[in-house]
Amino acid sequence: MAAYKVKVATGTDLLSGTMDSISLTIVGTRGQSHKQLLNHFGRDFATGAEHNGLRQVEEGEVAKGASREGDGAAVIGKTAAEDTLPILLEHRQEEIRAKQDFYHWRVFVPGLPNYVHIPSYRPPVRRNPNRPEWNGYIPGFPILINIKATKFLNSNLRFSFIKTASFFFRLGPMALGFKLRGLVDCKQSWKRLKDIKKIFPANKSIISEYVAEHWAEDSFFGYQYLNGINPGLLRRCTRIPDKFPVTDDMVAPFLGEGTCLQAELEKGNIFLADYRILEGIPTIELNGRKQHHCAPLCLLHFGPEGNMMPIAIQLSQTPGPDCPIFLPSDSEWDWLLAKTWVRYAEFYCHEAISHLLETHLIAEAFCLAMMRQLPMCHPLYKLLVPHTRYTIQINSIGRALLLNEGGLSARGMSLGLEGFAEVMVRALSETTYDSLYLPNDFVERGVQDLPGYYYRDDSLAVWDALERYVTEIITYYYPCDAAVEGDPELQSWVQEIFKECLLGRESSGFPRRLRTVPELIRYVTVVIYTCSAKHAAVNTGQLEYTAWMPNFPSSMRNPPMQAKGLTTLETFMDTLPDVKTTCVTLLVLWTLSREPDDKRPLGHFPDIHFVEEAPRRSMESLRRRLAQISHNIRQRNKCLPIPYYYLDPVLIENSISI
């Protein structure tokens, strides 16, 4: 008789465990053993418990070493080519079939990445015949989420009990507080700018206070293009576009002595923020008032003092007599309102494109394709699964909060639900594989050598650390190009992402097949960076930059100015979002920017997936590199008036979980 000692451990999350029947089968080259029941009467496998069992097998029933080798909670990673036993290949195929039967793709919005179908994940409706405006949601709170629907999610994808509870218990009291203070019922304009500070009187930081104090300054307006929450839009301008007829006479006073517009263009000191993607999208009514929209252009100059300064703003993509070009020399309120219109456009380019589409939705497609096409023993599954934790559930909640009738889009933004989705559809139609490859993005936008661009410096440092980590793991499991091209599970994963995330669009440049080791390294680095650091860069600072609403308005109640000299403080306040719209929007942004309760910083992998020494050494090397990056960032920030810490690795999560 051969004896096998088996230890079964249960995780430590609250309510971990099962009432199900657990059994063990040992698989070998000559067959497999009979099932042996591991549990006993009553509740077994309680939270944090360990069970030791002895399995005796008749000599010759199985051959030693034929089962998947492993240590504790995980097995050695193997591609299909390395699983030569028919029974093990069959197990891989059965697992994939089972997951594909369970996880189905579903169309979210035509033209957007498809997502996981969770049949009962829908908000419950609360009916109140006396207050019909409450029907469908709790007053003061955008929507109530059906927590029971989370039972359809695998435990690796579902929020822990603590995280689920804290998410809603945190949001509820804040929403109730807004309700009791009368904020979510007030459809009037803000009477005074300083009253906006009363929304979050206890939620202050160095940056949020700086924003409230300096939001109207040109230097801070320009700074946000480099190190704010949407730092990937600005491009170097080498030629003034015909649709933006800025002349030297207009901007010469703002360029400094002894130079001109053409000279600054040739020196590479002129930059353009073009919001053409927002053009022509219709608006909705909010609180009984028609909202307004524009797709502006903003020209900026990087001066010798190291400041990025706005020098011209046009509030339409079509020049003409009713579309003046606003300048810093215009009246105070004209210029401030023109800049506020640009910040309004930033809201949509950030929330719809940089945040929701380019991180949440794309990462969810990466995750679901992995779940459906890679078995758990596959090395790529082991490498990627920490970067998918909670992503599907937070997106399901996000769809219920943000993108459903009665949610944020319908009640807090000028473009409403359809317009917000249209922005994302347009953006996905232009998304390319090269644009997600971070080093290429800076070069393509011409900002690779721009001083004071801390987002670029930090993101490239984190990218390099991740790329080196991925390289070590990939080259360990894929010794040659043939191993990559000959991995059918890997190829199915890549093909499914192309089909379900990029919707089969050839012009995206996304590969349908990977043929070499370097191609695989690049692809996996893009996936991990998107699911971690890229999200941190656009999510972590949301409340700090948006709590002062004039810096990031979600709606505008008057049309863009068609003439100069007419704007006053009164018309400025009347154009900004009303009190209710402001509070609805900021409530959700507050919720989505809160630090997760069971956060797992980038590079920290408490769940055991890799058991081999080589990948575990690579994980430790990654942590050391990230620790050094964190040290460098903190040392630099000591000398900065506005610290930039959104890409400090200790603040980056492994996955998109908020």
Side-chain angles (χ1 to χ4, degrees):
M1 300 288 287
Y4 293 84
K5 187 175 182 181
V6 179
K7 181 169 73 174
V8 179
T10 305
T12 57
D13 284 351
L14 188 64
L15 302 185
S16 295
T18 182
M19 294 293 289
D20 292 338
S21 177
I22 306 298
S23 59
L24 169 71
T25 302
I26 298 177
V27 179
T29 54
R30 301 177 185 173
Q32 61 186 54
S33 67
H34 299 292
K35 277 187 179 181
Q36 177 168 318
L37 199 64
L38 296 184
N39 55 297
H40 306 286
F41 180 77
R43 181 175 175 82
D44 293 298
F45 309 106
T47 304
E50 290 189 358
H51 294 260
N52 292 296
L54 193 65
R55 177 69 169 109
Q56 292 187 328
V57 181
E58 293 281 349
E59 187 175 350
E61 185 179 0
V62 299
K64 185 178 180 182
S67 300
R68 295 196 189 280
E69 304 92 336
D71 178 18
V75 297
I76 290 176
K78 287 187 176 182
T79 63
E82 296 172 301
D83 263 344
T84 56
L85 292 179
I87 192 169
L88 295 182
L89 288 172
E90 183 181 341
H91 283 179
R92 297 178 82 103
Q93 294 161 2
E94 286 179 355
E95 179 190 338
I96 290 174
R97 279 196 299 269
K99 291 195 293 187
Q100 290 178 356
D101 287 343
F102 189 82
Y103 297 107
H104 296 275
W105 290 102
R106 180 180 184 180
V107 175
F108 174 29
V109 172
L112 289 183
N114 294 327
Y115 75 111
V116 63
H117 176 44
I118 306 174
S120 75
Y121 207 98
R122 60 186 183 274
V125 176
R126 173 174 176 170
R127 299 295 179 189
N128 187 327
N130 300 318
R131 294 294 299 272
E133 72 273 19
W134 286 11
N135 290 342
Y137 61 88
I138 293 177
F141 177 58
I143 204 76
L144 178 65
I145 309 302
N146 186 354
I147 302 178
K148 290 183 179 179
T150 62
K151 70 182 181 179
F152 287 91
L153 294 176
N154 176 288
S155 60
N156 291 321
L157 308 177
R158 184 177 63 236
F159 280 2
S160 66
F161 176 82
I162 293 176
K163 189 178 183 75
T164 303
S166 65
F167 185 93
F168 291 101
F169 286 131
R170 181 171 59 219
L171 182 56
M174 180 64 74
L176 180 60
F178 279 16
K179 179 70 176 177
L180 294 176
R181 289 154 62 194
L183 295 175
V184 294
D185 293 321
C186 181
K187 302 177 182 180
Q188 305 303 313
S189 299
W190 291 94
K191 294 181 179 179
R192 300 173 300 176
L193 280 171
K194 66 179 183 180
D195 291 342
I196 298 171
K197 281 191 172 182
K198 297 178 181 178
I199 300 177
F200 295 115
N203 290 269
K204 297 179 181 179
S205 70
I206 293 174
I207 292 180
S208 66
E209 290 294 287
Y210 191 97
V211 172
E213 184 176 348
H214 298 277
W215 68 283
E217 298 173 6
D218 287 357
S219 58
F220 182 66
F221 177 91
Y223 170 87
Q224 294 185 79
Y225 280 108
L226 303 182
N227 303 306
I229 56 174
N230 190 33
L233 184 141
L234 198 66
R235 292 176 174 272
R236 181 169 265 127
C237 180
T238 57
R239 175 185 172 275
I240 302 298
D242 294 338
K243 64 181 180 179
F244 194 13
V246 177
T247 66
D248 186 66
D249 288 342
M250 290 180 182
V251 299
F254 321 118
L255 301 178
E257 296 183 2
T259 189
C260 64
L261 180 57
Q262 184 58 39
E264 293 303 296
L265 285 167
E266 293 173 0
K267 292 176 185 176
N269 291 331
I270 302 298
F271 295 83
L272 179 65
D274 186 349
Y275 299 89
R276 62 171 180 78
I277 201 165
L278 302 178
E279 185 178 19
I281 299 178
T283 59
I284 63 170
E285 283 191 3
L286 290 176
N287 304 321
R289 182 164 170 177
K290 175 68 175 176
Q291 304 298 298
H292 297 275
H293 179 66
C294 77
L297 296 114
C298 180
L299 201 67
L300 301 101
H301 175 243
F302 190 79
E305 301 84 8
N307 292 324
M308 184 70 72
M309 305 287 282
I311 58 175
I313 293 173
Q314 180 178 291
L315 299 182
S316 171
Q317 295 287 304
T318 305
D322 293 334
C323 184
I325 295 177
F326 292 92
L327 306 170
S329 55
D330 291 334
S331 72
E332 174 188 0
W333 292 108
D334 274 355
W335 182 237
L336 184 59
L337 186 52
K339 289 190 296 181
T340 304
W341 270 108
V342 174
R343 294 300 303 164
Y344 160 85
E346 272 286 295
F347 178 94
Y348 288 95
C349 285
H350 170 266
E351 293 297 346
I353 302 173
S354 303
H355 187 200
L356 185 53
L357 172 65
E358 292 184 351
T359 62
H360 280 265
L361 300 187
I362 288 179
E364 181 176 14
F366 290 161
C367 170
L368 184 53
M370 179 203 76
M371 292 296 299
R372 286 171 44 86
Q373 300 298 341
L374 299 178
M376 290 187 289
C377 63
H378 197 289
L380 285 180
Y381 182 97
K382 293 170 176 288
L383 177 59
L384 295 170
V385 71
H387 305 288
T388 66
R389 183 173 179 254
Y390 299 156
T391 298
I392 286 181
Q393 180 160 2
I394 192 62
N395 281 8
S396 298
I397 292 174
R399 273 183 284 269
L401 281 174
L402 301 173
L403 296 173
N404 72 297
E405 294 297 336
L408 172 64
S409 296
R411 301 195 297 126
M413 296 190 284
S414 288
L415 299 186
L417 183 64
E418 292 186 9
F420 192 70
E422 174 63 20
V423 175
M424 292 190 288
V425 169
R426 292 181 181 186
L428 184 65
S429 71
E430 298 180 5
T431 297
T432 65
Y433 186 49
D434 281 346
S435 70
L436 299 187
Y437 183 65
L438 188 73
N440 277 9
D441 176 63
F442 294 115
V443 174
E444 196 270 334
R445 292 191 290 115
V447 294
Q448 68 272 23
D449 56 356
L450 188 59
Y453 199 2
Y454 308 120
Y455 158 74
R456 178 203 57 214
D457 299 340
D458 297 351
S459 63
L460 286 175
V462 174
W463 174 279
D464 179 68
L466 290 174
E467 188 174 51
R468 292 169 67 181
Y469 166 63
V470 169
T471 298
E472 292 172 6
I473 300 290
I474 294 299
T475 53
Y476 178 77
Y477 289 103
Y478 293 89
C480 61
D481 294 344
V484 172
E485 190 162 19
D487 185 344
E489 294 163 343
L490 157 64
Q491 303 301 344
S492 295
W493 174 59
V494 172
Q495 289 165 12
E496 188 150 289
I497 289 173
F498 177 77
K499 176 185 176 184
E500 303 292 347
C501 181
L502 281 302
L503 308 181
R505 181 170 56 84
E506 296 285 352
S507 61
S508 70
F510 264 74
R512 304 179 71 170
R513 187 173 189 85
L514 299 177
R515 292 180 169 81
T516 68
V517 172
E519 286 179 2
L520 177 56
I521 291 170
R522 173 172 170 167
Y523 195 94
V524 172
T525 306
V526 165
V527 170
I528 294 178
Y529 182 84
T530 300
C531 295
S532 56
K534 185 171 185 176
H535 178 254
V538 299
N539 178 75
T540 307
Q542 278 191 109
L543 191 64
E544 292 185 315
Y545 278 90
T546 64
W548 181 254
M549 176 271 292
N551 188 56
F552 211 61
S554 62
S555 67
M556 298 291 263
R557 296 181 296 159
N558 288 324
M561 307 93 80
Q562 295 182 335
K564 294 187 178 185
L566 302 178
T567 309
T568 64
L569 171 60
E570 289 71 28
T571 58
F572 181 83
M573 299 296 291
D574 191 56
T575 302
L576 292 176
D578 60 38
V579 175
K580 179 176 182 177
T581 301
T582 300
C583 292
V584 167
T585 302
L586 290 184
L587 176 62
V588 175
L589 294 178
W590 175 83
T591 304
L592 298 180
S593 64
R594 307 308 295 166
E595 184 170 310
D597 296 282
D598 52 355
K599 179 177 178 179
R600 291 186 178 178
L602 186 61
H604 292 261
F605 309 119
D607 296 334
I608 300 173
H609 295 288
F610 287 113
V611 297
E612 302 94 311
E613 281 302 313
R616 294 178 75 84
R617 285 195 302 268
S618 296
M619 293 160 65
E620 185 57 40
S621 296
L622 172 63
R623 284 189 283 270
R624 287 196 299 269
R625 294 185 192 113
L626 294 174
Q628 183 61 54
I629 293 170
S630 179
H631 173 77
N632 295 345
I633 290 174
R634 294 179 181 219
Q635 290 299 113
R636 178 203 64 205
N637 284 346
K638 291 179 180 179
C639 305
L640 298 179
I642 312 174
Y644 183 76
Y645 45 72
Y646 301 138
L647 287 171
D648 183 339
V650 301
L651 300 179
I652 300 172
E653 267 217 273
N654 273 331
S655 61
I656 298 174
S657 66
I658 190 64

